[in-house]
Amino acid sequence: MATANWLTVLTTTDAVAKAETLARGAVEARVAACAQISGPVTSVYRWKGAVETAAEWQVLFKTTGARYDALEAYLREAHDYDTPEIVATPVVRGSADYLRWLEEETAS
């Protein structure tokens, strides 16, 4: 399967300070060009046999397909959830200037 050139990668966490730490760390490590924090959102999910409801903050990272593995590794290490949400969505099209900037900011 071919790797997408550009991705948005979503995770969630239970506190705005944790979201900011995840976002800043990813950008500082150059595994994401930027990250946007939204929230709180209400999450409803099944965990260990029970349906749970929680307030969470979403962090949307912008990265390249080439940097996805490094971003996922960073999130697995830095995140405090047992099973953090890490979902990548390909960017099909975008402004050439923005996508070039994204590639420059995530160059290792």
Side-chain angles (χ1 to χ4, degrees):
M1 182 170 142
T3 301
N5 289 340
W6 314 283
L7 302 168
T8 59
V9 178
L10 178 67
T11 195
T12 55
T13 191
D14 61 1
V16 70
K18 291 178 185 178
E20 290 171 3
T21 298
L22 290 171
R24 181 167 292 281
V27 172
E28 287 175 348
R30 299 184 85 88
V31 296
C34 68
Q36 296 169 317
I37 300 167
S38 301
V41 297
T42 301
S43 295
V44 179
Y45 53 94
R46 184 178 306 278
W47 184 250
K48 297 184 179 179
V51 175
E52 305 282 343
T53 302
E56 293 187 299
W57 280 258
Q58 294 180 326
V59 186
L60 186 64
F61 301 92
K62 302 348 177 341
T63 194
T64 61
R67 295 298 278 156
Y68 173 80
D69 289 339
L71 175 58
E72 181 180 332
Y74 162 77
L75 289 172
R76 288 183 177 280
E77 176 67 27
H79 211 295
D80 67 336
Y81 283 14
D82 292 340
T83 307
E85 174 181 16
I86 304 172
V87 177
T89 303
V91 173
V92 177
R93 295 183 70 176
S95 118
D97 291 341
Y98 181 82
L99 296 175
R100 186 172 32 259
W101 171 81
L102 194 155
E103 290 173 355
E104 290 168 0
E105 293 304 312
T106 56
S108 52

